Amino acid sequence: MTQRQPVLFVPHGGGPWPFMQGFGPPGMWDGLRSFLEGIEASLPAPPKAFLVVSAHWETERPTVDADPAPGMLFDYYGFPEHTYRLSYPAPGAPQLAARVRALLGEAGIACDEARGRGFDHGVFVPMMLIHPRAETPVLQMSLQKGASVARHIEIGRALAPLREEGVLIIGSGLSYHNLREFFSGDEAPRASARSFDDWLTQTLLVEDCDARDRRLGEWLDAPGARASHPTPEHLEPLFVIAGAAGQDRGRQVFHGEFWSKSVSGFAFG
C-alpha cells in the first residue's frame, strides 16, 4: 500500500556550497547539510519519485522536464572548476511528467513540456544530499514567471493527489534571498531576515489553510519582506508547496543563519 508523502520547502543554499571548502564561516553549512541528509530517513516510506519545483526555473507557463535522462545545468558563476564537473545521474520521470500535465489540465492550468534542460542547482545540490544514491526518478518543474501567489497555490493544489501516489513534492528556494545584502554585516539586513523568518514561520503554523493562504497572499506587507526578497522567485516554491499541503499544518523543520541571515525550511504532513 502506497503511503502518503509530506511536502517540503527546503533551502538549497548558495551555489555549489556542499562541494567547496571555505565557502562561508566555518560550520555555517553544517546544519543544512544534516537536515538535507536526514530527509529520506524522516519519510513514511521511500518515495516512488521526487517532484522538485526549483526557484531557478521560471517559464511563461508551468513546465516539466520530461527528459528520461536529464543532464546537468551549472547555472552558477565564478566557482571552482571542479564544481562544474559534478554529476547527479538520477533518472528522469516522463510518466510523472505526463501525470503532472494531466492534473494541471484538469484544474484548467496549461502546462508545457521541455527536454534537454538538465537539473539546475536548485535541484541537483539538495538532491545530492537528500538522495545521494540517485536511483529514484526526479522530475523538475518550473515556476510560472510573474504569476500571483494564488496562482502558485492553485498549481500546488492541483498536484496534491501525487502525495497519495508516493511522490515527494519539494519546493527548493530560500526564505531569505537578497544577494546584495547577503554578505553584509550590517544589522538592518539581519533584522529584516529575522523579522520575515518569524512572520513566515508563524504564518505556516496557522491551522486554517484558507487563513494561511490569505496571509501568504499578503506576504509583501510582512515585516522585512521586501528587504528579504527584492524579487519573489526564491519564495514562490513555498507557495506551490502550501497549495499541495491542503489542510496540513506547516511546521519549521530547519532553521539556520547564513552570513547571519535567518533561513528556514518547512514541512507539511
Side-chain angles (χ1 to χ4, degrees), residues 109-210:
I109 302 170
C111 179
D112 294 330
E113 182 178 285
R115 288 176 184 262
R117 182 178 186 273
F119 295 136
D120 65 46
H121 83 272
V123 177
F124 72 76
V125 166
M127 289 306 302
M128 288 175 79
L129 299 176
I130 293 170
H131 184 61
R133 299 183 309 281
E135 298 168 341
T136 303
V138 176
L139 177 67
Q140 180 171 343
M141 181 176 173
S142 74
L143 298 166
Q144 183 171 350
K145 186 176 180 64
S148 65
V149 175
R151 179 63 161 185
H152 282 113
I153 289 174
E154 183 184 5
I155 290 168
R157 193 173 295 126
L159 299 175
L162 296 175
R163 299 175 62 189
E164 309 290 345
E165 300 167 18
V167 177
L168 181 64
I169 306 173
I170 298 174
S172 173
L174 279 171
S175 58
Y176 177 90
H177 193 258
N178 184 335
L179 294 181
R180 178 172 292 181
E181 300 288 356
F182 230 136
F183 308 108
S184 168
D186 293 345
E187 175 57 27
R190 287 201 298 267
S192 294
R194 283 196 303 269
S195 295
F196 185 66
D197 195 74
D198 289 345
W199 178 89
L200 197 59
T201 300
Q202 292 304 312
T203 294
L204 299 181
L205 286 170
V206 172
E207 291 192 35
D208 183 283
C209 67
D210 292 332

